[in-house]
Amino acid sequence: MNFDLTAEQQMLQKMMREFSDEVVAPGAIERDKTKEFPLPIFKELSKMGIMGLPFPEAYGGAGADTISFAIVTEQLSRVCASTGITYSAHISLGGAPLELFGTEQQKQKYLVPICTGESFGAFGLTEPNAGSDAGGTETTAVLKNGQYTINGSKVFITNASYAKHLALTAITNRQNNEKEISAIIVPTDTAGFQIKSDYEKMGLNASNTTELLLENVAVPEENLLGKRGNGFKQFLTTLDGGRIGIAAMAVGIAQGALNKAVQYAKQRKQFGKTLAQFQATQFKLADMEVKIEIARNYVYKAAWLKDQGRPFGKEAAIAKYYASEMAMEVCDEAIQIHGGYGYMKEYEVERYMRDAKLLEIGEGTSEVQKMVIARHILKG
């Protein structure tokens, strides 16, 4: 087994580390306060060719691998998780379904703008009554005279205010109490399509989280993504890839929190010594490092399996479950090391913890990950 990053991955990691430190980090505290979406940052990432990173060059992407996607997501999240989740959702939820299930015509029309950064990627799955039970979808799409008429609503959708189009799930037929769920591409400027972004959130304040309201939204039949009735399978596949992004985010947040804790421990003096000279502090820092390294290695394993075209669903669930729980633990310890200052916003570790909490919920809660992992074990 070779644990070395390739030369290209190492260059990407260095570039993104420097970009995150120099461009993303300086405004992170202010963006958390103002909730301003980091649009200028993504314009820069577009110029760098990062917005279509893992997608084929034929569609404006860079043809990179999933490990590279994880590296970028980690580095952005290390300094600003709002930026990290925007990027992760853009790729894994917005672009990936189009690449995986779209026709050539759909890819040219909808994937290219995502790769070039002209549009942000988004995916409409969660509903007011369909969270962990995504099969509880109630949004409907009725086919008549060559077009689908969609009615329903979606909640907690990332990036939709800045997306020119998105794929969403809807019921296209019912038979014997069984729902036929399909995925349909909907331009966001379609009549009857309303996007609201007025959530008051605990964290990730600079990311765009929206509610979608669809009232008689009509799109042509050709906007069906993949085969009719395969929407449920498609979003399960999409979520597998998305979990790698969330896990990479968790590693980045935890690394950022550890970096802040190390910096503070070396400077802060108590009882005539720096905190870093106390064994109690050293043990905390060591435990944090161990957890981060284990999580990072497992994120890379899941990403590598995906890149090899091998099954990775169980590994993605393990990475997401462990890394998200780990991030909360590491952020908690980082605050503890900072003492009273850890509770203050200017020291940033409290923001890391607020941002990390969503990772135990989004892309399937920790409990859902355990269900997925158990399912893989029991069918083996």
Side-chain angles (χ1 to χ4, degrees), residues 48-341:
M48 294 161 62
I50 300 296
M51 295 301 276
L53 187 70
F55 301 123
E57 293 178 17
Y59 306 112
D65 56 14
T66 310
I67 292 175
S68 297
F69 159 67
I71 288 169
V72 173
T73 303
E74 177 187 338
Q75 290 302 322
L76 292 173
S77 302
R78 178 176 57 81
V79 298
C80 176
S82 290
T83 304
I85 197 169
T86 302
Y87 181 75
S88 182
H90 169 79
I91 296 288
S92 64
L93 299 183
L98 295 169
E99 186 204 8
L100 288 168
F101 311 113
T103 63
E104 180 62 26
Q105 184 180 6
Q106 287 171 340
K107 290 176 186 178
Q108 291 291 347
K109 188 173 182 179
Y110 300 114
L111 182 56
V112 170
I114 285 175
C115 290
T116 59
E118 294 171 55
S119 173
F120 279 82
F123 184 64
L125 174 62
T126 306
E127 297 188 6
N129 295 313
S132 293
D133 176 21
T137 298
E138 295 175 355
T139 296
T140 60
V142 178
L143 180 62
K144 187 177 180 181
N145 299 327
Q147 70 176 20
Y148 284 103
T149 301
I150 308 169
N151 284 280
S153 63
K154 302 288 181 177
V155 294
F156 312 143
I157 308 305
T158 304
N159 293 347
S161 297
Y162 298 88
K164 293 184 178 179
H165 48 78
L166 53 81
L168 55 80
T169 51
I171 301 166
T172 45
N173 195 22
R174 292 178 191 264
Q175 196 168 15
N176 301 325
N177 293 323
E178 289 289 318
K179 298 176 181 177
E180 177 191 80
I181 298 177
S182 304
I184 301 170
I185 303 167
V186 183
T188 53
D189 62 357
T190 307
F193 193 165
Q194 184 184 357
I195 300 172
K196 294 172 64 179
S197 58
D198 50 7
Y199 287 119
E200 290 288 330
K201 297 181 294 182
M202 174 180 176
L204 298 168
N205 285 322
S207 73
N208 176 241
T209 310
T210 69
E211 183 180 1
L212 311 181
L213 305 173
L214 300 100
E215 187 175 350
N216 295 323
V217 173
V219 297
E221 186 178 2
E222 66 190 34
N223 282 32
L224 180 72
L225 180 62
K227 292 182 180 178
R228 179 168 166 163
N230 273 12
F232 196 86
K233 290 180 184 177
Q234 289 170 6
F235 72 64
L236 288 179
T237 302
T238 299
L239 289 177
D240 281 342
R243 284 165 186 158
I244 294 174
I246 293 292
M249 271 191 71
V251 172
I253 290 173
Q255 185 67 61
L258 174 59
N259 292 351
K260 294 290 184 186
V262 169
Q263 181 184 14
Y264 184 81
K266 286 179 176 180
Q267 295 171 350
R268 174 69 165 169
K269 286 190 175 181
Q270 294 281 272
F271 307 108
K273 294 194 292 186
T274 64
L275 292 183
Q277 291 175 287
F278 289 98
Q279 192 178 63
T281 305
Q282 293 171 8
F283 281 10
K284 284 181 183 291
L285 296 172
D287 283 340
M288 294 157 80
E289 175 73 6
V290 168
K291 291 172 182 177
I292 293 168
E293 278 298 310
I294 291 170
R296 181 181 289 114
N297 275 287
Y298 215 85
V299 171
Y300 287 178
K301 178 180 180 180
W304 180 83
L305 286 171
K306 184 175 185 289
D307 290 332
Q308 300 303 310
R310 291 164 60 175
F312 68 96
K314 182 183 79 170
E315 288 75 14
I318 291 172
K320 194 272 186 189
Y321 167 56
Y322 178 75
S324 61
E325 301 263 320
M326 173 279 300
M328 283 296 289
E329 293 169 8
V330 168
C331 290
D332 185 35
E333 286 287 36
I335 292 173
Q336 198 69 16
I337 288 169
H338 279 74
Y341 290 107

Side-chain angles (χ1 to χ4, degrees), residues 327-360:
M328 283 296 289
E329 293 169 8
V330 168
C331 290
D332 185 35
E333 286 287 36
I335 292 173
Q336 198 69 16
I337 288 169
H338 279 74
Y341 290 107
Y343 211 67
M344 302 299 144
K345 294 199 173 186
E346 66 180 291
Y347 285 81
E348 300 194 76
V349 284
E350 64 82 35
R351 185 184 85 241
Y352 282 101
M353 190 174 195
R354 285 188 287 110
D355 291 347
K357 183 58 194 173
L358 186 276
L359 307 186
E360 295 181 315

